[in-house]
């Protein structure tokens, strides 16, 4: 039995190719069903995200498997192997094991250490469980990968520092204010970056958020998700005084929040501090605002320096994480190799039991026909001994005849002769 990983990702393929090879939610069930019909495939998991499409499989045999699986993937997505093969990677055994552990831990992600991939891997695993597409070895591998990802999060700083603009903005706010829970936060814009900011803030217990956006409909969609109030851009002037923190990211060509607007707000606030984070390019907030007393303005450039510093710290943590992956991958391979011994031991015991049962039946039949029990038992033990030592004796003679002292010593050890 062999474990393998086959796929493409953001490092090996452009987005145009990744789109063609992606498995949409409506295709996963059919893909798993078709995969299990392929020769030698005993289990499979399909992982498909915007940055990667990967097949994790357990095979009974590797013979011709690579070409057959590549052809299946090409046929499923109606793509030529000429287009796909240059971007494909193929990992077997311990390399497949360590690859999945690295993926689940965010070590192979576009953003180093990002946590979202673990949820995507868990979802792919659950779909395979629902479709009964897992072998015992594959199930054990995924469960092990989840625990490795958790260990890496616990024992290293891989996810401790912000490496996205949205997360960096939230981290900065948390560094300046002791707690965000009871603050009033104004978000200007409702695009992807502000969506991420809103979700991060919600995760940190923020209860009061206002969202100002040119399109009220888009703002309401986000507000419903994070339990925020929606206001218009024109409302900012009258509502700004309520905001302890302002985070802005729009596509406006001109500033939305001017110096005069902030001055009026600060009079109402009676100089209670206000933090403004402008992550828009061009800027949404007039730069002269930073000259006002008790007003703290940070731009996307300030956040970029935080991100670069934190990325360096994540890279340092990744070295520790890679060591954990190497260690855990080795442990898993030890377990996997031990499974081969389990089936061998089971077969050996079954063989010995069959011999014992057959000879016992003959001995009992002889006694029932009037044979001397003592003679029958003596004969039974002699024959049983001869049958059980026949194969090991041949192996010992063969090793001795070949002059293979290493194999001879291994056989002696297996038979317990070196422990007497």
């Amino acid at each position: 039995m062999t474990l393998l990983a086959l796929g493409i990702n953001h490092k090996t393929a452009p987005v145009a190719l990744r789109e063609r090879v992606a498995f949409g939610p409506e295709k996963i069930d059919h893909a798993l069903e078709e995969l299990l019909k392929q020769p030698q495939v005993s289990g499979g998991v399909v992982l498909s995200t915007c940055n990667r499409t990967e097949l994790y499989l357990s095979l009974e045999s590797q013979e011709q498997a690579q070409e057959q699986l590549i052809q299946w993937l090409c046929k499923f997505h109606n793509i030529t192997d000429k287009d796909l093969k240059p971007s494909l990677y193929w990992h077997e055994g311990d390399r497949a094991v360590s690859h999945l552990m690295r993926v689940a831990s965010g070590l192979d992600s576009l953003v180093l250490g990002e946590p979202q991939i673990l949820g995507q891997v868990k979802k792919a695993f659950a779909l395979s469980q629902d479709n009964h597409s897992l072998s015992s070895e594959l199930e054990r591998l995924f469960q092990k990968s989840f625990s490795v990802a958790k260990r890496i999060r616990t024992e290293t700083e891989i996810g401790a520092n912000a490496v996205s603009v949205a997360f960096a903005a939230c981290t900065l706010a948390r560094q300046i204010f002791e707690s965000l829970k009871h603050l009033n936060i104004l978000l200007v814009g409702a695009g992807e970056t502000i969506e991420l900011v809103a979700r991060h803030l919600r995760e940190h217990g923020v209860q009061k958020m206002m969202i100002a956006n040119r399109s009220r409909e888009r703002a309401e969609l986000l507000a419903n998700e994070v339990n925020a109030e929606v206001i218009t851009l024109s409302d900012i002037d009258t509502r700004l005084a309520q905001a302890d923190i302002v985070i802005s990211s729009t596509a406006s060509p001109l500033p939305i929040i001017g110096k005069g607007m902030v001055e009026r707000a600060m009079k109402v606030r009676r100089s209670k501090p206000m933090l403004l984070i402008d992550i828009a390019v061009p800027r949404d907030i007039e730069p002269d605002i930073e000259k006002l007393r008790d007003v703290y303005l940070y731009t996307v450039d300030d956040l970029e320096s935080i991100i670069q510093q934190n990325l360096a710290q994540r890279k340092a943590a990744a070295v520790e994480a890679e060591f954990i992956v190497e260690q855990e991958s080795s442990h898993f391979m030890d377990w996997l190799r031990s499974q081969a011994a389990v089936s061998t031991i089971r077969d050996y015991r079954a063989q010995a039991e069959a011999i014992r049962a057959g000879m016992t039946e003959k001995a009992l039949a002889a006694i029932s026909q009037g044979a001397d029990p003592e003679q029958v038992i003596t004969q039974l033990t002699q024959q049983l001994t001869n049958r059980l030592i026949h194969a090991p004796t041949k192996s010992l003679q063969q090793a001795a005849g070949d002059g293979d002292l290493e194999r001879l010593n291994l056989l002696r050890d297996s038979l317990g002769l070196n422990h007497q």
Side-chain angles (χ1 to χ4, degrees), residues 311-371:
L311 186 57
Q313 292 173 340
R314 280 201 177 190
K315 287 179 178 177
V319 175
E320 300 175 56
E322 293 285 6
F323 176 77
I324 292 174
V325 166
E326 182 180 350
Q327 183 184 65
E328 296 286 5
S329 175
S330 177
H331 291 166
F332 181 84
M333 290 304 296
D334 288 343
W335 173 84
L336 193 61
R337 282 187 286 268
S338 74
Q339 298 310 292
V342 169
S343 61
T344 300
I345 292 168
R346 184 174 56 245
D347 292 344
Y348 184 57
R349 289 183 67 88
Q351 181 189 66
E353 176 61 23
I355 293 172
R356 184 202 66 78
M359 298 187 72
T360 299
E361 184 180 354
K362 288 182 180 179
L364 291 173
I367 291 173
S368 67
Q369 293 174 6

Side-chain angles (χ1 to χ4, degrees), residues 222-255:
L222 177 58
N224 290 335
E225 181 183 342
V226 297
N227 192 28
E229 178 189 357
V230 175
I231 65 174
T232 65
L233 292 180
S234 59
D235 291 332
I236 293 176
D237 196 8
T238 57
R239 302 293 298 275
L240 186 60
Q242 300 172 20
D244 300 299
I245 299 173
V246 179
I247 302 176
S248 186
S249 178
T250 76
S252 175
L254 297 172

